[in-house]
Amino acid sequence: MNILIIHSSFQTAAFVRSEYAELMRMLENEFQAQFTILGDDEKAVAQWKDSHVTPDFVMTATGGVENLFMRILPELNSEVKLIADGRNNSLAAALEILSFLKSNYRKGKIIHGSNEEIVNGVRTDMKLLQGVRIGCFGQPSDWLIDSDVERFSLEYKYGITVVDISLDRLIDEINAADKAEAVMVAQSCTKNAKAIVEPSCEDMLKAAKTYLAIKKICVEEGLSAMTIRCFDIVNACGTTSCLALALLNDEGIVAGCEGDMQTLITMILAQRLCGEKAFMANPSMLREDCSLLAHCTVPLSMCDEIILRSHFESSIGVAIQGVLPCTDYTLLKWGGDQMERFFVTEAQALPIEYSNHFCRTQIQLNANLKNYLLNKTIGNHQVIIRGRHAEEIRKFMQENGVEEVN
């Protein structure tokens, strides 16, 4: 991040560094910010223009910088983002500049307040999801009739790019995966499991090859996240992607199943905003005092222990029966074809007895989700993360004009 600090001829660069040392330190630590301090001097302005470094933010350190700003305006972004904490008439100058921009049909905004408020404002202004690159392995599953997104809206508003990956390419990579490497992955997983119920050694090998193949494509395509039409892999390769998705999520590549883009983007938000790995789950049983959700894959690091099972619906391959701790969780879902709605609530997990009637990893939350899920649901899958994060999620959504579903 580059920040241009401008000051009047009545002050010096040394004054700016001293006066704003703490704020500059905070911005440097938080965003690796690099600063250029520019005064009202013809030679200095010319040298700065020759540098061809377009600042992300312009900070007014003093008043009396309006004419200097006019000289540098042609070098700035179409939207000018100003920082002014108010000291030394800096806010007054920023307001005059903002008024000029709006009068001349240019976009502009001011981030103002204490050092902490400015840092938070810069953090919010930076596109949290900018640069996310999603791989969609095949099309969404046939039963997901309301879980896709408008890709242009994703890229325009949030800076998210979606790349289509053919399942034929994935199948070829699964078949070509190195057996010795797959054996090592399988052995590591079995070593860390409390028990192995249905999967055979051959099942573990196929699941490990699927992981290696998906990861290879993610690296080749520079993907931050991926989702997969997983049941086609069951039919084509006699295995599932449940284990692969669990491992990828733990490695920082956000991974979801069934081609559900809305849920995947919710999981990405959980990672980037809250710093949490996410469990993508089906609502399975709703009561007045609790709600049960389940699925066949979960990040292993979310669990107290894991048992390796077969995939629930097909009885094929390797799935995860994870035991989730009874602690605080946040359930959320961000969706709509333009990602215009969201739901969030906080809850605690209750003790649960494993049932053979639901997907392998099961969690029971002390939350009544009946009204939301039965009357206003945003798709099928919901996202569950550790901790209480409703406030920061609501703040992000409000700042991006996303409507809350109650």
Side-chain angles (χ1 to χ4, degrees):
M1 176 197 295
N2 291 292
I3 299 177
L4 175 64
I5 305 178
I6 56 177
H7 64 87
S8 74
S9 57
F10 294 103
Q11 298 296 350
T12 64
F15 167 82
V16 171
R17 290 192 190 95
S18 174
E19 183 78 348
Y20 295 99
E22 180 62 15
L23 175 58
M24 292 171 68
R25 183 192 64 78
M26 292 170 69
L27 290 168
E28 184 177 14
N29 290 343
E30 182 80 13
F31 308 109
Q32 291 76 54
Q34 296 183 352
F35 303 94
T36 301
I37 300 174
L38 185 63
D40 192 2
D41 176 82
E42 289 290 346
K43 185 177 179 181
V45 171
Q47 288 176 342
W48 176 79
K49 287 182 176 181
D50 288 342
S51 72
H52 302 296
V53 175
T54 303
D56 299 290
F57 296 88
V58 177
M59 177 175 160
T60 56
T62 70
V65 295
E66 292 86 344
N67 285 327
L68 171 57
F69 177 83
M70 294 297 294
R71 286 152 58 197
I72 66 172
L73 179 57
E75 316 300 324
L76 303 181
N77 291 322
S78 58
E79 181 181 11
V80 179
K81 300 171 184 177
L82 301 163
I83 296 173
D85 76 342
R87 286 180 288 174
N88 307 300
N89 287 323
S90 58
L91 180 58
L95 290 169
E96 184 72 11
I97 291 168
L98 182 63
S99 179
F100 171 84
L101 291 170
K102 292 186 179 298
S103 294
N104 288 272
Y105 307 102
R106 285 284 294 267
K107 289 184 177 180
K109 66 185 297 184
I110 297 173
I111 297 173
H112 165 68
S114 66
N115 289 351
E116 291 76 14
E117 288 171 327
I118 288 172
V119 169
N120 288 335
V122 170
R123 184 187 300 113
T124 299
D125 186 81
M126 294 176 64
K127 287 187 175 179
L128 184 71
L129 305 176
Q130 180 73 46
V132 168
R133 189 170 165 86
I134 294 174
C136 191
F137 288 63
Q139 298 301 306
S141 296
D142 294 338
W143 51 87
L144 294 182
I145 58 176
D146 194 36
S147 296
D148 208 355
V149 294
E150 191 175 281
R151 294 189 181 185
F152 173 79
S153 176
L154 273 186
E155 186 155 14
Y156 176 76
K157 186 168 184 181
Y158 296 105
I160 297 173
T161 302
V162 180
V163 180
D164 289 311
I165 310 292
S166 76
L167 287 178
D168 287 342
R169 176 181 173 185
L170 175 59
I171 291 166
D172 288 344
E173 291 290 358
I174 292 172
N175 292 331
D178 183 78
K179 182 177 179 180
E181 194 174 355
V183 168
M184 291 177 63
V185 172
Q187 288 176 342
S188 175
C189 292
T190 55
K191 179 182 177 181
N192 293 320
K194 179 184 178 183
I196 305 169
V197 183
E198 295 89 359
S200 64
C201 291
E202 183 63 22
D203 292 330
M204 292 298 304
L205 188 64
K206 287 182 180 179
K209 285 186 173 183
T210 302
Y211 156 73
L212 292 172
I214 295 174
K215 184 174 181 179
K216 182 174 184 287
I217 293 173
C218 286
V219 172
E220 290 174 349
E221 296 291 340
L223 302 179
S224 323
M226 57 78 59
T227 184
I228 182 171
R229 185 182 171 98
C230 35
F231 279 80
D232 284 20
I233 299 302
V234 174
N235 296 327
C237 301
T239 188
T240 63
S241 57
C242 304
L243 180 65
L245 303 185
L247 295 174
L248 290 168
N249 273 305
D250 272 339
E251 292 172 6
I253 298 174
V254 181
C257 44
E258 301 177 40
D260 185 341
M261 290 291 295
Q262 294 180 20
T263 301
L264 182 69
I265 293 166
T266 308
M267 295 169 72
I268 296 167
L269 180 71
Q271 180 204 54
R272 296 217 164 186
L273 181 66
C274 308
E276 298 288 347
K277 297 176 176 64
F279 174 36
M280 168 184 175
N282 295 317
S284 300
M285 188 71 71
L286 306 177
R287 297 189 174 90
E288 298 297 330
D289 59 343
C290 63
S291 302
L292 187 147
L293 300 96
H295 225 193
C296 280
T297 185
V298 63
L300 306 184
S301 60
M302 287 185 71
C303 305
D304 282 345
E305 58 186 40
I306 62 165
I307 299 170
L308 299 177
R309 303 291 307 271
S310 63
H311 179 242
F312 173 67
E313 285 93 344
S314 66
S315 300
I316 288 172
V318 181
I320 311 298
Q321 180 185 330
V323 179
L324 292 160
C326 291
T327 187
D328 291 338
Y329 291 90
T330 300
L331 181 143
L332 65 147
K333 181 62 180 291
W334 184 17
D337 61 357
Q338 295 187 33
M339 304 303 287
E340 72 276 7
R341 297 176 291 146
F342 82 100
F343 175 84
V344 66
T345 190
E346 295 174 342
Q348 278 194 320
L350 304 171
I352 183 173
E353 185 175 340
Y354 180 79
S355 170
N356 286 319
H357 297 292
F358 309 111
C359 291
R360 301 304 190 185
T361 296
Q362 301 165 11
I363 187 171
Q364 186 165 245
L365 299 175
N366 66 344
N368 184 350
L369 300 176
K370 275 190 171 184
N371 181 54
Y372 158 57
L373 288 172
L374 299 182
N375 297 313
K376 306 174 184 178
T377 190
I378 305 173
N380 163 28
H381 299 117
Q382 307 298 308
V383 171
I384 299 168
I385 59 176
R386 289 266 198 104
R388 293 185 173 268
H389 300 281
E391 183 177 346
E392 57 196 300
I393 291 165
R394 285 194 177 98
K395 183 178 179 183
F396 171 86
M397 297 299 180
Q398 288 165 3
E399 288 163 349
N400 285 280
V402 183
E403 180 184 0
E404 183 169 7
V405 173
N406 295 310

